[in-house]
Amino acid sequence: MSSRRQILRFGAATGIVAASGAGAGYFRTQAAAAEVRPAPSATPSARPVATPPAFSVPLSVPPTLRPSKVTADTDYYEITIGKSHANIVPGARTEVLTYQGSYPGPTIRARSGRKVVIKQRNHLDEPASVHLHGGSVEQASDGSPMTPIKSGGSQIYTYPNLQPHANLWMHDHTHHLESEHLYRGLANLYLLTDRIEQSLPLPSGRYDVPLMLSDVRLDSKGQLVYEMDDAFNRTTLLVNGRPRPYFKVDARKYRFRLVNTSNLRMFWLSLSDGTPLTVIGADGGLLPAPYETERLLISPGERADLIIDFSKYAPGTQLILKNDLPPGDPSLIGEVIRFDVGRKVRDTSSVPATLRTLPAVPEADTTRQMVMYMDEVGAGTNAFLNGKAFDAGRIDIDIKHGSTEEWILTNTSQTIPHNFHTHLVQFRVTGRNGGPATGFETGLKDTVLLWPGEYVTLRATFDTYRGVFPYHCHMVDHSAMGMMAQMRIA
Ligand SMILES: [Cu+2]
């Protein structure tokens, strides 16, 4: 378990942002965000011994998994969960956990209206559970923390894909093991498309690139070191499992599907030349319209869909995607990936001014308070939702099937950010600290960040599946410490 000192340090580092006004103001005005300058970060308690140099390895893109069987309405897949090795540091074979041998896991491409059925075999010597993050699925296939696949066993997960397009992802959710399993590699993208998305002239094919952002701590032999709540020492940034890679791009538009798969780290992203990022999508698919922002904040579990147009750059230009948020020495965590611009090529893609129409935000039938709090200075490292640590035998809230609920989320921690994720539904953010949602929070969301002292309101309609599903902090180490609860929809 983490030391009290580490928690305080993480709080101090991230607290810089809240204390500077970003916690309250970041989402409301870009000007407020621009005033925030990261202070020198706290000293890590132990520098990682093996730190691969920046931009020394090319980006790799996870393979797209091929179905083992295709029928008129269903794609069948088989995945083995096991141990494998990855090349993170040049010259070292790093032991990792993988879906189907790939680090990170292979991408699954699905289509609304076509079912996906996955047989997961667990070859680990401990239980594993697979959750489709952002997916609307029945309880039996939700990858509940309490119903994992036994070591040596297998389970069939059925994903009906009755929801619209969305950038979903899959990750381990085994109670008390999810944090370490995710950290060691059990994550993959699940890109669900539909006719609406397909009808748009967005960059596609090799110009549509997943970027899975994470961080790890490596020892002197290049092996992963896992400690609970070890935010300060996870200072090797990875993109698709590669340490601060470079990516050779053509001088044209690209679509990047970002997912933050790290346990605790938030990324605050910007381009090194100050060119704004064009954001087209959030957790639950495309936004109604694209918007431009100089910095994009993405917390664990969140997704962002970006367009970067490299056509204005001369061949040979090197552009860095920067990260301006501690913890960690800026020389380690300040740069994420470098784009090396190549030749100009024909580009028939475009970014329409209107991307989709979202349904009106529904009226709420019920309002509830959700308070997120973590013991910051006490002897233990306990984390609570509404004052209680997770208990699998307890139903925390009962929800009437078909109803719409408004939840008022508050982070009452003094220094520690949290982010809220609920299974089963996409929700709408209806307010942040008394103001409206802005940026990608105007889209469909399943995960939302709360800086210390912040409050956020959201609305969700529970008209799909009945059953018991968890909701929790998606800073996964926090949910593993207890910041998780259960809702029953009946
Ligand atoms: Cu948390």
Side-chain angles (χ1 to χ4, degrees):
M1 293 295 268
S2 69
S3 72
R4 176 178 152 181
R5 194 181 52 179
Q6 281 171 330
I7 290 176
L8 287 170
R9 279 178 166 171
F10 182 39
T14 46
I16 289 163
V17 172
S20 310
Y26 176 75
F27 293 92
R28 281 209 285 275
T29 66
Q30 203 57 48
E35 284 169 17
V36 179
R37 291 286 176 272
S41 55
T43 311
S45 57
R47 286 183 74 91
V49 182
T51 302
F55 318 131
S56 58
V57 296
L59 178 76
S60 61
V61 175
T64 297
L65 196 63
R66 291 237 294 270
S68 57
K69 188 171 85 175
V70 174
T71 65
D73 62 357
T74 307
D75 296 334
Y76 294 85
Y77 293 91
E78 296 191 12
I79 292 178
T80 298
I81 305 166
K83 277 186 185 163
S84 187
H85 291 88
N87 182 233
I88 298 175
V89 187
R93 269 161 55 86
T94 304
E95 189 176 287
V96 292
L97 303 183
T98 58
Y99 292 130
Q100 203 58 17
S102 173
Y103 178 80
T107 300
I108 292 176
R109 290 189 177 263
R111 201 178 176 98
S112 298
R114 278 188 68 76
K115 251 193 312 191
V116 163
V117 175
I118 305 179
K119 182 173 187 179
Q120 295 273 5
R121 290 190 184 84
N122 178 12
H123 284 194
L124 302 177
D125 49 17
E126 57 194 20
S129 184
V130 184
H131 171 55
L132 178 62
H133 181 123
S136 175
V137 305
E138 284 191 84
Q139 183 185 335
S141 289
D142 187 49
S144 157
M146 309 316 296
T147 54
I149 316 165
K150 290 192 194 87
S151 172
S154 67
Q155 187 175 322
I156 290 175
Y157 293 82
T158 300
Y159 304 130
N161 298 324
L162 296 175
Q163 66 198 97
H165 74 266
N167 294 345
L168 309 180
W169 64 296
M170 295 162 66
H171 63 80
D172 192 89
H173 216 314
T174 320
H175 193 41
H176 290 316
L177 292 172
E178 73 277 61
S179 165
E180 182 163 2
H181 282 178
L182 169 60
Y183 174 82
R184 293 190 183 278
L186 293 183
N188 69 286
L189 269 176
Y190 182 105
L191 301 176
L192 179 62
T193 191
D194 63 7
R195 264 201 317 199
I196 289 169
E197 187 186 40
Q198 290 293 315
S199 71
L200 298 173
L202 297 168
S204 60
R206 57 188 283 246
Y207 301 111
D208 174 6
V209 182
L211 297 179
M212 300 172 76
L213 309 180
S214 61
D215 62 352
V216 292
R217 173 183 175 185
L218 296 164
D219 69 11
S220 60
K221 297 191 173 80
Q223 298 302 314
L224 299 179
V225 179
Y226 174 80
E227 275 183 44
M228 179 77 97
D229 210 31
D230 189 25
F232 266 83
N233 295 308
R234 297 174 187 163
T235 51
T236 296
L237 302 189
L238 305 178
V239 183
N240 295 343
R242 309 290 279 160
R244 290 183 292 180
Y246 65 85
F247 184 42
K248 290 183 175 178
V249 294
D250 292 333
R252 56 154 285 160
K253 285 186 284 304
Y254 279 71
R255 179 179 184 183
F256 293 108
R257 318 261 195 143
L258 271 62
V259 51
N260 182 348
T261 67
S262 61
N263 290 36
L264 294 167
R265 177 175 295 280
M266 278 163 273
F267 289 85
W268 203 17
L269 303 169
S270 60
L271 283 173
S272 52
D273 73 339
T275 296
L277 300 160
T278 302
V279 184
I280 60 168
D283 304 342
L286 294 168
L287 299 169
Y291 73 97
E292 291 198 337
T293 181
E294 278 174 24
R295 291 173 191 254
L296 177 74
L297 182 65
I298 180 169
S299 76
E302 286 189 302
R303 285 85 73 205
D305 214 326
L306 298 184
I307 301 286
I308 300 178
D309 188 353
F310 298 105
S311 66
K312 72 170 182 175
Y313 301 104
T317 303
Q318 296 183 331
L319 210 62
I320 293 166
L321 188 67
K322 300 191 306 168
N323 168 44
D324 278 335
L325 205 61
D329 181 336
S331 72
L332 296 175
I333 60 91
E335 296 170 328
V336 180
I337 183 172
R338 190 183 72 198
F339 300 109
D340 295 353
V341 182
R343 70 197 169 92
K344 206 168 179 75
V345 298
R346 203 167 94 92
D347 184 1
T348 55
S349 73
S350 62
V351 183
T354 301
L355 297 166
R356 78 186 296 186
T357 305
L358 288 177
V361 178
E363 291 301 313
D365 303 302
T366 309
T367 301
R368 296 181 200 270
Q369 300 276 346
M370 305 268 180
V371 176
M372 307 178 86
Y373 177 73
M374 193 160 135
D375 188 1
E376 288 154 281
V377 291
T381 47
N382 292 309
F384 309 98
L385 248 172
N386 280 349
K388 292 173 181 168
F390 180 68
D391 177 350
R394 186 184 68 226
I395 300 296
D396 295 275
I397 57 174
D398 275 294
I399 295 173
K400 190 167 181 286
H401 184 260
S403 68
T404 295
E405 300 222 347
E406 179 162 271
W407 293 354
I408 304 165
L409 316 170
T410 310
N411 176 3
T412 59
S413 292
Q414 299 288 310
T415 59
I416 300 178
H418 297 298
N419 71 356
F420 184 89
H421 168 59
T422 181
H423 288 216
L424 186 64
V425 287
Q426 294 287 326
F427 54 72
R428 304 294 293 275
V429 179
T430 52
R432 174 175 285 278
N433 303 321
T438 59
F440 71 2
E441 292 188 339
T442 57
L444 294 173
K445 295 283 291 168
D446 55 52
T447 308
V448 64
L449 170 66
L450 291 102
W451 290 110
E454 283 201 306
Y455 70 97
V456 162
T457 52
L458 61 83
R459 280 187 212 162
T461 302
F462 296 87
D463 58 358
T464 55
Y465 301 107
R466 291 173 165 83
V468 176
F469 298 86
Y471 52 98
H472 55 89
C473 182
H474 214 285
M475 296 176 77
V476 182
D477 294 24
H478 298 178
S479 57
M481 285 180 223
M483 196 177 283
M484 181 159 65
Q486 297 186 103
M487 57 184 175
R488 177 170 54 205
I489 298 113

